[in-house]
């Protein structure tokens, strides 16, 4: 049986399209003004924003690829590419932050001329475009690492551009050249906190660690709460993608009756209470007899298979 889980990501196709278009336009604007006023800062930042376009395309492409139908060779399809994309996005963000921090430190020892009005205006445009793009992903970033990567990239750029505007105004009014690198380092520190969390979660997802949203002791307690369940073993929970969670477990029950209703309720509650969309449950009788059968439940809200018998 094939299952489709592309509906949630479909909601962000338009967001990605708008974000890519806005940022490509801004890259041309920033690079154009950079060459016009001979500003290396604007030209370099245009190159950085172009890398953000690539990150948006990476996240978008991974989400689309994850919707491809599973095959006999790839029985889970390409869902894992969303995790790979979020990991790559986190690494790219750290590299970008490292570059910004390095440039900020360098400017403490080699102050640059005060930011001109053109640079301030272009940076202000960057604040607007990057903030609008980040807002397109603000809801989804709470539940999807891939979306969170796109959100953090845009939020980082909005913060950097805002820092340029603030620093430029202060330098123009007060002549304090040191404010530019100081603001840049402050922004880097704030963004680094969110990026570090993205990197940590992406690595954990990549090695099939239990998602932070899942409380394993609570799942174990729930499974053991049924009167007919005497014991459980081989409980495993892991992320299939940045939005889907799978579970496998062996239940030891007190008799050898085949109760499909019990299993359906169990699967429904695992989905509703813990957000587990794919549950594979092997049932064993306490006398050592392994029950057989293959009931499958398919609803509009979720779909997965429950197996009884050999895994």
């Amino acid at each position: 049986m094939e299952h489709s889980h592309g509906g949630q990501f479909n909601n962000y196709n338009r967001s990605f399209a708008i974000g890519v278009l806005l940022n490509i336009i801004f890259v041309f604007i920033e690079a154009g003004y950079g060459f016009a006023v001979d500003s290396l800062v604007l030209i370099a930042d245009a190159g950085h924003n172009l890398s953000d376009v690539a990150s948006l395309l990476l996240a978008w492409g991974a989400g689309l690829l994850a919707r491809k139908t599973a095959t006999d060779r790839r029985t889970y399809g390409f869902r894992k590419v969303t995790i790979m994309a979020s990991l790559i996005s986190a690494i790219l963000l750290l590299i970008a932050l490292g570059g910004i921090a390095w440039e900020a430190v360098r400017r403490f020892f080699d102050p640059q001329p005060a930011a001109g009005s053109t640079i301030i205006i272009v940076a202000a445009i960057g604040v607007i475009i990057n903030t609008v793009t980040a807002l397109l992903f603000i809801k989804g970033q709470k539940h999807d690492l891939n979306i969170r990567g796109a959100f953090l990239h845009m939020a980082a750029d909005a913060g950097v551009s805002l820092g340029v505007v603030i620093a430029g105004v202060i330098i123009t009014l007060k002549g304090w050249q040191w404010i530019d690198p100081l603001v840049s380092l402050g922004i880097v520190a704030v963004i680094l906190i969110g990026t570090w969390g993205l990197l940590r979660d992406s690595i954990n997802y990549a090695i099939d660690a239990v998602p932070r949203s899942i409380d394993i002791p609570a799942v174990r307690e729930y499974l053991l709460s049924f009167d007919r369940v005497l014991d459980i073993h081989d409980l495993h929970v892991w992320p299939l993608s940045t939005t889907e969670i799978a579970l496998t477990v062996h239940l030891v029950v007190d008799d050898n009756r085949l109760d499909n209703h019990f299993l359906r309720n169990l699967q429904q509650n695992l989905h509703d209470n813990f957000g587990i969309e794919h549950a594979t449950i092997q049932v064993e009788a306490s006398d050592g007899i392994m029950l057989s059968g293959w009931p499958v439940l398919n609803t509009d809200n979720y779909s997965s298979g429950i197996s009884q018998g050999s895994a």
Side-chain angles (χ1 to χ4, degrees), residues 266-287:
L266 180 59
Q267 185 185 37
Q268 181 74 55
N269 288 325
L270 284 172
H271 173 269
D272 294 343
N273 298 329
F274 299 99
I276 297 172
E277 295 194 351
H278 296 259
T280 303
I281 303 171
Q282 179 170 296
V283 180
E284 304 168 5
S286 58
D287 58 6

Side-chain angles (χ1 to χ4, degrees), residues 12-13 60 64 69 94 120 176 205 302 311:
Y12 291 94
N13 280 334
W60 191 7
L64 294 174
T69 302
L94 289 176
I120 296 175
W176 297 343
Y205 274 40
Y302 75 107

Side-chain angles (χ1 to χ4, degrees), residues 51-264:
S51 72
D52 286 332
V53 172
S55 296
L56 283 176
L57 291 172
L58 174 68
W60 191 7
L64 294 174
L65 191 59
R67 295 165 50 199
K68 288 180 66 68
T69 302
T71 65
D72 289 340
R73 182 172 179 80
R74 296 182 176 88
T75 55
Y76 280 128
F78 291 85
R79 291 182 175 92
K80 280 286 186 181
V81 297
T82 57
I83 297 174
M84 296 168 61
S86 67
L87 180 58
I88 294 173
S89 186
I91 293 172
L92 290 177
L93 260 172
L94 289 176
I95 293 174
L97 291 176
I100 296 170
W102 176 266
E103 177 65 16
V105 172
R106 189 187 68 80
R107 288 191 181 187
F108 270 118
F109 301 98
D110 182 23
Q112 300 297 309
S117 58
T118 299
I119 295 177
I120 296 175
I121 292 172
V122 173
I125 295 173
V127 173
I128 296 172
I129 289 179
N130 289 312
T131 299
V132 169
T133 306
L135 289 175
L136 294 174
F137 303 105
I138 193 169
K139 290 184 179 180
Q141 60 97 19
K142 298 178 181 179
H143 310 288
D144 187 339
L145 284 181
N146 197 30
I147 300 295
R148 193 196 305 177
F151 169 78
L152 284 175
H153 269 282
M154 295 301 101
D157 273 0
V160 171
S161 296
L162 180 61
V164 171
V165 173
I166 294 174
V169 171
I170 294 176
I171 291 172
T172 301
L173 296 177
K174 299 291 187 178
W176 297 343
Q177 299 292 337
W178 50 266
I179 200 70
D180 183 14
L182 182 64
V183 170
S184 296
L185 288 176
I187 293 171
V188 166
V190 172
I191 298 172
L192 182 61
I193 296 174
T195 303
W196 188 257
L198 174 66
L199 178 65
R200 177 197 59 215
D201 290 344
S202 297
I203 292 176
N204 283 334
Y205 274 40
I207 61 175
D208 288 338
V210 177
R212 286 197 297 166
S213 61
I214 299 297
D215 184 348
I216 283 292
V219 173
R220 185 178 292 110
E221 181 180 358
Y222 167 72
L223 293 173
L224 289 171
S225 67
F226 295 92
D227 292 337
R228 63 176 302 189
V229 177
L230 302 178
D231 192 16
I232 68 171
H233 60 91
D234 291 305
L235 172 62
H236 301 284
V237 179
W238 72 98
L240 287 176
S241 69
T242 53
T243 58
E244 298 171 75
I245 300 173
L247 171 148
T248 60
V249 67
H250 292 219
L251 300 184
V252 180
V253 296
D254 58 3
D255 56 49
N256 58 7
R257 289 177 300 160
L258 185 63
D259 189 344
N260 291 339
H261 179 70
F262 163 73
L263 291 175
R264 288 190 176 94

